[in-house]
Each structure stands twice: as structure tokens, then as C-alpha cells.
Amino acid sequence: MVIINVLLKVIPEKREEYLTYVENLVNKSLQDEGNVFYSHFEDVYQKNQFMIVENWANQAAVEAHNKTDHLQDFLKNIGTYLVEDCKINVAVTDTEG
């Protein structure tokens, strides 16, 4: 399994627009082949700080997701909503199962 965490710090004035925008990404990513889990959370201590948590069956599923129109659009446009670049953490677990 491949686990990806994406930390996003959103410009306060763009919060509502961002939430609508990211909902599209989450809904479409949930339908991608090889998706095990995909969700979006707000930090309970820091308003406008969000985390996208992704779980993929394998690296091939990640690579296919990376080529989708919805992720390409996200990568192209997410910067307009953020205070700073997003931070991405990737972990691979149990490559056999």
C-alpha cells in the first residue's frame, strides 16, 4: 500500500472557494482504480490548515491517479489557494499484500 499525506495551508479569504474546489478532487479520486481511502480533513488546532490522506493499493495505482485530469487540474491550480507550497509525505507499506 502507498500512503500519501498532503498538508495544505489555505489563505483564509479563499477558504470557502478552496473547500468547493477540493471536494471535486476528493470525489473523483475516490473513483480512481486502486484507491483504498481518500479524504480531506481540517486540523482541529489550526483553522485553514488541511490534510489530504490517500491510501492506494500499489504504486501503479498512484501513477495512474497522477495522470488523471482531476489531479492535473489540482496540481495546476492549487497554488492560488495556499499560503505556502503544500507539503507531501509518501510512505510505502506491505509491498506484498
Side-chain angles (χ1 to χ4, degrees):
M1 181 178 306
V2 180
I3 301 167
I4 303 173
N5 294 330
V6 182
L7 176 66
L8 304 124
K9 296 181 180 180
V10 174
I11 299 166
E13 297 78 23
K14 294 195 174 191
R15 175 189 174 84
E16 294 307 315
E17 186 180 351
Y18 163 80
L19 289 171
T20 300
Y21 182 71
V22 80
E23 182 178 9
N24 179 60
L25 172 72
V26 172
N27 288 335
K28 289 182 178 175
S29 297
L30 284 167
Q31 299 172 35
D32 289 345
E33 187 172 340
N35 175 263
V36 177
F37 178 86
Y38 201 105
S39 198
H40 178 258
F41 304 94
E42 184 169 11
D43 189 307
V44 296
Y45 299 108
Q46 295 183 315
K47 189 172 175 97
N48 299 316
Q49 182 166 297
F50 297 90
M51 178 77 66
I52 296 173
V53 179
E54 310 173 34
N55 288 236
W56 299 96
N58 52 44
Q59 186 60 37
V62 173
E63 291 170 11
H65 170 67
N66 288 346
K67 294 176 184 173
T68 62
D69 290 343
H70 51 275
L71 184 65
Q72 289 300 308
D73 178 75
F74 178 81
L75 295 173
K76 180 180 175 186
N77 295 302
I78 192 59
T80 63
Y81 301 101
L82 302 180
V83 173
E84 60 187 50
D85 289 343
C86 57
K87 294 180 176 60
I88 302 171
N89 184 20
V90 179
V92 178
T93 64
D94 192 318
T95 57
E96 298 299 316

